[in-house]
Amino acid sequence: MNQMNIADVDLNLLKVFEALHDETSASRAALRLGVTQSAVSAALRRLRDVYDDQLFIRTGRGLAPTLRANQLKPVVTDALNKCRQSLAMVDPSGAHFEGRSVALGLSDDFEMAFGRRLMASIRERAPGLRLIFRQTHSQIVGAALMERSIDLAIASGGLADRLLSRRVLGEGSYLCLADAASLRPGQQALTLEEFIAREQILVSSGGIIGMVDEGLSSLGLTRTVCASTTHFAALPYLLKGTDAISTIPAHAAEAVAQLSGLALLDCPLSMPRYPIELGWRTSAQMDPAVMKVREAIEALFKDSA
C-alpha cells in the first residue's frame, strides 16, 4: 500500500468520492459538483492511487462501490460534514446548504401524506437544500440508518437500537378505501359483515397476513385477501372498478382519496393505534442540514396533530 501523508493529498478528492458513491455515475457526479466528467474521471484515478483500491467498478447499471469504498463512505462523509458544520458556524444565513442533500427514509404512505409539505418547509427553512426520499419500512429502517444510506427516518417501529435516537411524532390510526361506485349512495361505513364479505387488498412489506387479520382472528373471523402490494401508491389502480377494499393508515388513506377520488370509510374493526417516530443516528453534534430537516419534520407533524 502507498504510504500517504495528508499534506500530500488534495482534500477536494473527498468531495468527488462522496458524489461518486451517492450518484454511482461519473456524469451525474460531475453535474452535482459543477465540473466536467473528465475532471471526475481524473479525480477517480487519483483516489484509486490514494486508497490503493479500485473503489468503483463499472457495471451495466453504473459504478458499483467496492467493499473498501463502502467502508470509507461513512468516514469521508463524517469528515466533510465536520467541515460543513464549521462553515455553518460563520454563515448562519443558510447559504451553506446550497447543493447539500439529506436522505430521508420512509414508506410511501408517509411520502404521499407529508412529502409535498415537507419540501415546501425545507424550501423556506434551508434554501438550496435538497431532499432525497428513500423507501424503507420498520424491518429495515434501523439497518439503513446505521449503514448511513439514510440520514433520518420516519417509521412505525424499528428504531430501538441503542445507537439510534428517536422521537414520537404522533399516533396513527386506520381508515378503509373503496371505489365509490361499489358503495350505496351516501355510504360512509361498512358493517363488520359487509367488511369481511368483500375481497381485500393488503399493503405489506411481505406476506398476506396483516394487523386486520390478527384483529379478526381474535373475533373468530377471517377475510379474503385477493392481492398484496408493497406500495400504497398502487391502490387507486388496484381498487378502481372493483368491490375490493383496503385498510391502511389514515394519513395515507386521506392522501390517496384526495388525489384518486376513492371513498374513505371508517374501519368497522377496532384497530390499535401505533406510534409514528422520527429516528436518527445518535451523535454528539448533528449535521446542521440534517437538523434543519429534523426540525421541519417535527413542526410539520405538530401542525398536523
Side-chain angles (χ1 to χ4, degrees), residues 232-299:
F232 292 89
L235 287 176
Y237 305 96
L238 300 176
L239 289 172
K240 281 285 189 180
T242 76
D243 291 332
I245 59 174
S246 185
T247 305
I248 63 173
H251 58 263
E254 290 165 352
V256 171
Q258 183 177 9
L259 290 177
S260 68
L262 290 173
L264 279 174
L265 300 166
D266 292 330
C267 182
L269 183 67
S270 179
M271 296 284 287
R273 296 179 70 86
Y274 59 91
I276 300 172
E277 297 177 323
L278 174 64
W280 63 92
R281 290 181 296 277
T282 303
S283 59
Q285 186 175 14
M286 185 175 280
D287 180 352
V290 177
M291 277 296 299
K292 283 289 185 183
V293 178
R294 180 176 141 188
E295 291 166 1
I297 293 170
E298 291 172 345

Side-chain angles (χ1 to χ4, degrees), residues 10-24:
D10 179 0
L11 297 183
N12 284 312
L13 295 176
L14 299 183
K15 294 193 297 182
V16 177
F17 174 89
E18 182 184 54
L20 282 168
H21 198 284
D22 288 347
E23 305 297 340
T24 65

Side-chain angles (χ1 to χ4, degrees), residues 18-286:
E18 182 184 54
L20 282 168
H21 198 284
D22 288 347
E23 305 297 340
T24 65
S25 162
S27 60
R28 291 196 296 269
L31 286 171
R32 170 170 163 170
L33 296 170
V35 299
T36 64
Q37 184 173 340
S38 60
V40 169
S41 297
L44 177 55
R45 289 193 293 270
R46 294 169 65 190
L47 281 163
R48 286 167 170 164
D49 289 338
V50 169
Y51 291 111
D52 195 23
D53 188 86
Q54 281 290 96
L55 297 178
F56 300 96
I57 299 171
R58 189 169 300 282
T59 69
R61 300 184 64 182
L63 295 174
T66 64
L67 174 61
R68 174 64 59 83
N70 284 332
Q71 292 170 334
L72 287 170
K73 178 56 164 59
V75 179
V76 170
T77 294
D78 279 350
L80 290 173
N81 282 342
K82 292 296 183 184
C83 295
R84 291 161 180 149
Q85 289 167 13
S86 71
L87 295 176
M89 294 172 65
V90 297
D91 179 19
S93 67
H96 53 279
F97 294 126
E98 189 67 39
R100 291 292 314 280
S101 298
V102 170
L104 174 62
L106 71 177
S107 50
D108 68 328
D109 58 325
F110 291 122
E111 188 173 349
M112 289 187 298
F114 303 107
R116 181 174 54 81
R117 283 182 287 166
L118 182 57
M119 288 164 54
S121 179
I122 293 301
R123 191 180 303 115
E124 179 180 342
R125 291 168 178 264
L129 181 63
R130 296 172 297 194
L131 286 172
I132 300 173
F133 295 123
R134 289 193 173 144
Q135 287 291 304
T136 188
H137 55 77
S138 60
Q139 295 176 3
I140 62 173
V141 65
L145 281 167
M146 295 307 299
E147 293 167 0
R148 298 173 184 267
S149 60
I150 56 176
D151 301 301
L152 292 165
I154 301 173
S156 303
L159 299 170
D161 192 291
R162 64 182 180 83
L163 298 177
L164 299 177
S165 296
R166 57 181 172 167
R167 176 167 297 171
V168 175
L169 297 169
E171 281 190 333
S173 58
Y174 294 88
L175 289 170
C176 297
L177 284 172
D179 187 343
S182 71
L183 303 173
R184 298 185 299 274
Q187 185 177 3
Q188 296 181 334
L190 297 171
T191 65
L192 188 56
E193 290 75 17
E194 290 173 325
F195 180 80
I196 60 176
R198 287 180 176 241
E199 289 190 327
Q200 306 203 14
I201 297 174
L202 172 67
V203 182
S204 173
S205 57
I208 56 170
I209 301 296
M211 292 186 64
V212 170
D213 300 284
E214 295 173 4
L216 288 172
S217 177
S218 68
L219 300 175
L221 300 171
T222 60
R223 64 173 177 168
T224 300
V225 175
C226 61
S228 176
T229 176
T230 57
H231 297 289
F232 292 89
L235 287 176
Y237 305 96
L238 300 176
L239 289 172
K240 281 285 189 180
T242 76
D243 291 332
I245 59 174
S246 185
T247 305
I248 63 173
H251 58 263
E254 290 165 352
V256 171
Q258 183 177 9
L259 290 177
S260 68
L262 290 173
L264 279 174
L265 300 166
D266 292 330
C267 182
L269 183 67
S270 179
M271 296 284 287
R273 296 179 70 86
Y274 59 91
I276 300 172
E277 297 177 323
L278 174 64
W280 63 92
R281 290 181 296 277
T282 303
S283 59
Q285 186 175 14
M286 185 175 280

